[in-house]
Structure formats: structure tokens, C-alpha cells
Amino acid sequence: MLAKYNDRIIAESVFLEYGNKIYYFNNGSLPEYWNLNANTLLIWHMIEKFAGTDMVLDMYGTPSGENRIDPNYAMYTFKSGFGGKLIEEFEYYDLIISKFKDFIFKKLVIKIVLPI
């Protein structure tokens, strides 16, 4: 799904449908338009589209919300703000397997490659 503002694409969200689930897979938006909350609107459109059906919107990767100092707590508050039910299927956490690869990813890929 795409969000446009003044004929310019400002945000996108990718949803994957499998069985009776719709997975909130990926999203992105232009930083200068973040104040418009376009990705939130795209999620809301998906909720409206499938309201009253047996489809489930799975916004996986949400922490439980029990730990307010968890760096991912904001993700919990955002996703729970849609009024859905938290279903714990697996535990979500970050695990750094290789400090070197983590360093390369954060310093090279995130800061240099992705902005290009």
C-alpha cells in the first residue's frame, strides 16, 4: 500500500497474506512527512478492509509491554494502540551473535549504504 500527499508518495507498507493472516511485513516513509503518520493510516486501512472477516492482522515482533525500560517499549505502545489482542507465539528479543557483524551493520550498512 502507498500513501500519497500532494501527488508525492510519502510512505509505503507491505502486507503479506497467507491463510487467514495478514502479516505487517515492512514499511517506510519520508522523514520530512513523519508528522502526518502515513504508515499508521495505512495500517488502519488494512484493519478497516478486513473488519468483520475471519482475517487476522499479525503485527509480529511486539514485546509484552511489561518492561517500560525495554528499548522496544515504544513498539508495544504503537501496536497496542490499535486495540488488538496481544497473542504471544514466541519470545521477541535482540540477540547479537557476532559483535563484528553487528558493528559492520550499524556503522556501514545503516549509516552509509542505506542513505545512498
Side-chain angles (χ1 to χ4, degrees), residues 18-101:
Y18 183 75
N20 75 327
K21 282 194 176 181
I22 301 159
Y23 296 93
Y24 182 49
F25 182 68
N26 191 0
N27 73 74
S29 59
L30 297 174
E32 60 267 30
Y33 294 98
W34 282 350
N35 63 317
L36 297 178
N37 297 308
N39 290 105
T40 303
L41 181 63
L42 294 174
I43 294 169
W44 189 251
H45 278 299
M46 287 300 284
I47 291 170
E48 284 183 321
K49 180 178 179 179
F50 291 101
T53 71
D54 68 339
M55 298 298 285
V56 174
L57 176 59
D58 190 338
M59 298 173 67
Y60 64 92
T62 305
S64 68
E66 295 171 0
N67 182 359
R68 290 180 178 262
I69 61 170
D70 183 331
N72 293 311
Y73 184 76
M75 185 186 327
Y76 165 78
T77 57
F78 171 73
K79 291 180 178 180
S80 65
F82 290 96
K85 181 171 69 172
L86 178 65
I87 299 172
E88 295 187 35
E89 294 182 318
F90 54 87
E91 187 173 340
Y92 173 86
Y93 61 94
D94 292 327
L95 174 64
I96 298 172
I97 296 172
S98 165
K99 289 183 180 181
F100 176 73
K101 289 178 182 177

